[in-house]
Amino acid sequence: MKAVFFSLGALLLSGCTQLGLGLANLPARVGGAAVVQDQSYGPDELHQLDIYRPDSGRGDAPVLVFFHGGRWTDGDKSMYPFVGKAFADQGYVTVIADYRKYPEVRFPAFVHDGAQAVAWVHDNIERFGGDPERLFIAGHSSGAHIASLLAADERYLQAQGKPTAIVRAFAGLAGPYDFVPDEEDLIDIFGPPERYPQMQTTTHIEGDEPPMLLLWGEKDTLVWRRNIDLLSERIRARSGQVSTRLYPDLDHVGILASLTWMLRDRRPVFEDMLDFFAQHEPVSALATAEQ
């Protein structure tokens, strides 16, 4: 059985193939968390999100908004039921958000989409059993980049009438937080060069951002370690709150695959995220949990 688990994991690690994703998402497809699909948070057809609800039925559950990766050009929420179910099974109302992508839009449109999604969740998640005072955000790769800017650059949520303080904490898996575009499409997405500082999360760190957890695999050849190092150094220099986790045997896809049913009990990524979110729960929520 163990050999089967690792074979299934290898399929996903080979590049998130359709077969690998099908296996990763199998438990979510056949039962478990209740899912509200294709909830609109804005006017565009990609302004949609899926909401995974815990079985507990409580009305004060913590909330996680997760932004998928895909190089700001690809991917959609339908690929990530395994993320929604993983956290819903741990009691989180979990929201997987879609957003517009290049070439339809360029930076910062997709970050504004992210802010609109988070604001919608803050205003409406009580209807789905979530507590808006227990709101966390996370993402993988380009999704981590979007979520990190929502945590670091207050202008995005302010444009939605929300303070950054509505976010309790942010967890990023393999996020490109401080890079210079060097490929044609990335230059078109984020350019001209004088605009690059605005898309670098490090630019916006003042020290009062929500606590951040930065996770990275040492076999990642797509997003370099400097992104984790530069952002964490900037946060510490500003007396902010940051934690880092480095995993020696994981690559760019492997760190995300660690959230799948066949791998999350064998790797610390999922538990590291859960522990981090628990550390940053509101005092009132912790007191209720202890009763």
Side-chain angles (χ1 to χ4, degrees), residues 174-285:
Y177 310 116
D178 189 310
F179 77 102
V180 176
D182 60 357
E183 298 180 42
E184 185 176 348
D185 62 337
L186 295 179
I187 292 170
D188 194 34
I189 292 171
F190 294 106
E194 56 267 25
R195 298 180 62 202
Y196 290 165
Q198 294 305 307
M199 48 75 69
Q200 295 165 340
T201 309
T202 49
T203 298
H204 308 287
I205 299 300
E206 299 293 339
D208 57 354
E209 295 78 23
M212 298 191 183
L213 174 64
L214 311 179
L215 308 103
W216 183 76
E218 293 182 0
K219 291 187 176 180
D220 192 333
T221 59
L222 295 178
V223 172
W224 299 107
R225 176 173 173 169
R226 67 183 300 275
N227 289 275
I228 305 294
D229 290 344
L230 290 174
L231 181 53
S232 61
E233 289 168 6
R234 182 65 63 90
I235 294 171
R236 293 187 179 106
R238 300 293 193 274
S239 300
Q241 300 182 66
V242 64
S243 300
T244 59
R245 299 287 187 276
L246 305 181
Y247 307 102
D249 298 323
L250 299 183
D251 63 11
H252 192 69
V253 175
I255 197 169
L256 175 65
S258 298
L259 304 183
T260 62
W261 62 273
M262 58 271 209
L263 294 174
R264 61 176 174 259
D265 290 338
R266 295 166 171 76
R267 297 176 177 178
V269 177
F270 186 55
E271 286 298 325
D272 286 346
M273 294 178 71
L274 292 173
D275 289 347
F276 175 73
F277 293 147
Q279 292 169 19
H280 297 288
E281 283 273 20
V283 174
S284 58

Side-chain angles (χ1 to χ4, degrees), residues 94-112:
T94 309
V95 179
I96 312 295
D98 261 341
Y99 50 89
R100 292 173 296 168
K101 302 169 185 72
Y102 179 83
E104 177 189 353
V105 298
R106 293 166 174 79
F107 175 81
F110 38 75
V111 189
H112 283 295

